[in-house]
Amino acid sequence: MIADSVRLALPTEAAQIAALQRRGWTAGLPAEAADQLLASIDLAAMTDSWLAAIQRPPLAQLRVLVAVSADRVVGFAAIGPSDDPDADPSSDALIAEFTIDELARRQGHGSRLLNASVDTLRADGFTRATWWVRADDDLLRAFLTDSGWEVDGAHTEVAMDTDGPRVKLVRLHTAVS
């Protein structure tokens, strides 16, 4: 058995990541938004997407990291250059996805995954990392601010379509160099 750790995702873990992401949507988003997302893409398509991200990322700096416990994926992060309009993609990174399985929370997996994500971004030459967080996710915001992240004033709303449920996001940032 492998000790709790974080590492690059393996192609054989794409299905576990997709299933974990779907559970994360159900647990972390307003019900209407989660239902719309779940209905719009099936597990097989998500698995294929994660497999491509692991095996053939469009940029060398796009990475999928996994937190592993007892030989199973309990969390994942997708990181890479920021695509925000005000970002410099050569120095600004983005934590685009970050999920810890609800049953594995408060066991250190989130801290290990966050530290590994920042270390990987630093090794890739980034000097700043950003992260879009639901405005009402007080637990995640507290975790990040306790880890040195700060709100930078940017905010937005996202939706799958013009009539769909809207989710408000705020951006946090931290230095990684």
Side-chain angles (χ1 to χ4, degrees):
M1 179 145 60
I2 299 171
D4 292 352
S5 61
V6 174
R7 58 170 169 68
L8 289 171
L10 302 173
T12 57
E13 295 165 333
Q16 291 180 70
I17 293 167
L20 179 55
Q21 185 176 32
R22 292 175 72 85
R23 289 192 306 274
W25 288 346
T26 300
L29 290 173
E32 189 178 354
D35 290 346
Q36 189 176 28
L37 274 170
L38 291 168
S40 71
I41 184 168
D42 67 9
L43 181 59
M46 289 178 72
T47 299
D48 290 345
S49 181
W50 282 112
L51 182 59
I54 294 165
Q55 289 183 319
R56 296 176 307 283
L59 297 169
Q61 295 162 315
L62 291 174
R63 313 227 192 232
V64 179
L65 303 175
V66 291
V68 179
S69 179
D71 297 327
R72 74 177 186 94
V73 173
V74 296
F76 72 93
I79 61 175
S82 176
D83 58 357
D84 288 340
D86 62 345
D88 176 353
S90 68
S91 61
D92 293 334
L94 175 68
I95 296 184
E97 294 283 340
F98 190 98
T99 300
I100 300 296
D101 194 344
E102 267 196 306
L103 298 175
R105 291 186 183 164
R106 309 216 50 87
Q107 297 174 32
H109 304 298
S111 295
R112 276 190 291 280
L113 186 57
L114 177 59
N115 289 334
S117 295
V118 170
D119 288 347
T120 300
L121 294 171
R122 182 182 305 112
D124 282 343
F126 295 105
T127 58
R128 184 175 88 111
T130 58
W131 188 333
W132 288 97
V133 176
R134 275 191 3 264
D136 62 352
D137 193 341
D138 296 333
L139 289 175
L140 179 56
R141 286 176 65 180
F143 169 68
L144 292 173
T145 56
D146 288 349
S147 300
W149 292 68
E150 297 176 347
V151 175
D152 70 4
H155 55 90
T156 191
E157 284 187 0
V158 295
M160 295 245 342
D161 57 49
T162 56
D163 297 328
R166 303 194 73 68
V167 177
K168 293 180 181 182
L169 303 173
V170 295
R171 188 173 65 188
L172 282 79
H173 72 108
T174 193
V176 297
S177 57

